Amino acid sequence: MAETNRTEVYVYERVVILSSCVLSFFGSLLIICTFARWPDLRTTPRKLLVYLSVTDLLSALSYFYGVLRSFDSDSGDCIAQGAISTFANTSSFFWTVAIAIYLYVYIVKSSQRQANNLVLYFHLISWGVPFAITVAALSLHKIGYDASEVSVGWCWVNIQAEDHVLWMLLTAKIWEFIAYVTLPVLYMLVKIHIHRAHAALSEYRPILTSSPVSHSPSSMADRKLTIIPIIFIMLRMWSTIRFLLLLTDSPAGHNPVLVTLHGIGNTFQGAANCIMFVLLTPSIRSRLVAQLCCRGQDKHGRSESVSQNRASAHTPSHREENTSPQTWENNEGVTCT
């Protein structure tokens, strides 16, 4: 492909997409850290979300480097960046579908054991298949500079390869298309099941108002995980549109607005998941706020303790305060340890 056909990536587009990469990196990191920090959050659905976040974190890092460098030819770091983003992107597709399958089996089939037994296969497929595809693409020299035809500054499939469309399908697009079909179906089945369960329960609600909350699979599962397919489709559709425009050799694929949306869509999933499953989840958000408040109170309490110690050195007869440095309680009654 001639250099004149290269899609121009403007400075403002790079700034926006780099910002999206940063948000996605820290969003994915926050999901992983909250999972590691609080043991009671370590349910299987949350574990699957963490695995998805690992792929989003790798994607954010590789895309950040690619957009920052804004490659204009094949090079060693171009190929390395393209390989990492190919693996992370493809793995993200598989983990997104894996989460939907897990929720379907766990909620609709009401089989936690069967759902948990699938996790091993999820690992084998979601890590193994992307790794095998990436190694094959590297071995056959298919990864390289793509003139931002279906990227935004980063490297992916070498646009000069005669079979570049085939490898674009193998390394991402075919799995993306499968996800587009599979996710909405599984998502709707889960939502329909939950709706029917709630409708059935509402008939007995007057009797159960004083009873303990039901621990059925539909109420125990983290229902917000069902929003992942929606996030996936809304963010990924722009890259699919540009791919289809490439197949038709349409100049619309160079449109700056479409290019920017493509860049944001490919890099923002980690941030979007963080917003939905950390910042907009009350139980986790309150814990984060409590941690921040306690850190501030701990620093304030230590400074007061130092001041009191200095004062007591000058007034030996003054009664010492019995204050524990390990426990602080804020005005809202949140205990900090």
Side-chain angles (χ1 to χ4, degrees):
M1 177 170 290
E3 179 65 22
T4 54
N5 291 334
R6 180 178 185 269
T7 300
E8 183 69 25
V9 181
Y10 300 102
V11 174
Y12 76 88
E13 293 175 328
R14 293 172 62 188
V15 171
V16 171
I17 297 167
L18 287 172
S19 301
S20 177
C21 290
V22 171
L23 291 174
S24 191
F25 172 82
F26 284 107
S28 300
L29 192 62
L30 188 58
I31 291 174
I32 296 169
C33 289
T34 55
F35 180 85
R37 174 67 178 82
W38 292 298
D40 59 301
L41 295 180
R42 297 172 191 172
T43 61
T44 302
R46 285 277 168 183
K47 286 181 182 179
L48 300 181
L49 180 61
V50 166
Y51 302 141
L52 176 61
S53 298
V54 170
T55 65
D56 292 334
L57 189 147
L58 286 175
S59 293
L61 285 174
S62 62
Y63 285 141
F64 183 90
Y65 183 79
V67 176
L68 190 65
R69 286 275 282 109
S70 192
F71 295 105
D72 56 8
S73 63
D74 274 331
S75 61
D77 55 345
C78 166
I79 295 173
Q81 179 270 309
I84 294 173
S85 63
T86 296
F87 169 78
N89 237 4
T90 309
S91 183
S92 177
F93 299 154
F94 280 95
W95 279 116
T96 304
V97 174
I99 290 173
I101 293 173
Y102 181 91
L103 289 174
Y104 173 78
V105 175
Y106 185 76
I107 296 175
V108 178
K109 298 299 183 180
S110 300
S111 177
Q112 180 178 1
R113 181 177 180 179
Q114 185 179 356
N116 289 338
N117 289 339
L118 291 174
V119 174
L120 175 61
Y121 298 99
F122 291 157
H123 280 288
L124 293 175
I125 296 172
S126 299
W127 300 123
V129 174
F131 181 78
I133 292 173
T134 304
V135 170
L138 281 172
S139 302
L140 297 173
H141 308 288
K142 301 300 180 180
I143 292 180
Y145 175 63
D146 77 341
S148 293
E149 287 297 287
V150 197
S151 70
V152 190
W154 58 77
C155 290
W156 182 29
V157 174
N158 193 332
I159 202 68
Q160 298 288 353
E162 294 182 359
D163 54 352
H164 62 272
V165 173
L166 172 63
W167 281 97
M168 286 179 178
L169 288 169
L170 289 175
T171 56
K173 294 306 171 186
I174 190 171
W175 314 112
E176 197 172 60
F177 292 141
I178 291 173
Y180 284 151
V181 175
T182 305
L183 295 178
V185 172
L186 293 174
Y187 169 75
M188 289 304 299
L189 290 174
V190 170
K191 296 301 290 183
I192 289 171
H193 177 84
I194 292 175
H195 177 75
R196 288 177 177 173
H198 285 175
L201 183 62
S202 65
E203 298 180 11
Y204 303 96
R205 191 161 293 162
I207 309 173
L208 301 175
T209 50
S210 60
S211 302
V213 178
S214 173
H215 293 284
S216 64
S218 62
S219 61
M220 293 170 59
D222 190 347
R223 296 176 195 168
K224 280 192 176 180
L225 289 173
T226 58
I227 302 175
I228 288 180
I230 296 178
I231 296 174
F232 175 86
I233 293 173
M234 292 300 295
L235 293 178
R236 297 287 181 174
M237 60 184 289
W238 311 109
S239 65
T240 302
I241 292 172
R242 287 194 71 203
F243 174 72
L244 296 176
L245 292 173
L246 173 69
L247 296 182
T248 59
D249 201 23
S250 172
H254 303 271
N255 184 282
V257 175
L258 184 58
V259 171
T260 303
L261 289 173
H262 176 190
I264 295 173
N266 269 43
T267 59
F268 196 72
Q269 185 165 336
N273 288 340
C274 178
I275 292 171
M276 292 303 303
F277 307 117
V278 176
L279 302 182
L280 294 184
T281 300
S283 60
I284 301 179
R285 185 178 65 247
S286 61
R287 296 185 191 194
L288 290 173
V289 172
Q291 287 288 311
L292 294 174
C293 291
C294 294
R295 288 179 182 274
Q297 289 181 4
D298 185 62
K299 291 180 181 179
H300 179 68
R302 290 179 186 275
S303 64
E304 284 187 349
S305 178
V306 172
S307 300
Q308 290 173 1
N309 289 338
R310 289 177 179 174
S312 63
H314 297 285
T315 56
S317 60
H318 184 69
R319 182 174 59 86
E320 294 183 359
E321 295 290 338
N322 183 19
T323 304
S324 171
Q326 298 179 353
T327 304
W328 301 90
E329 183 152 334
N330 61 20
N331 294 330
E332 297 177 356
V334 179
T335 302
C336 308
T337 56

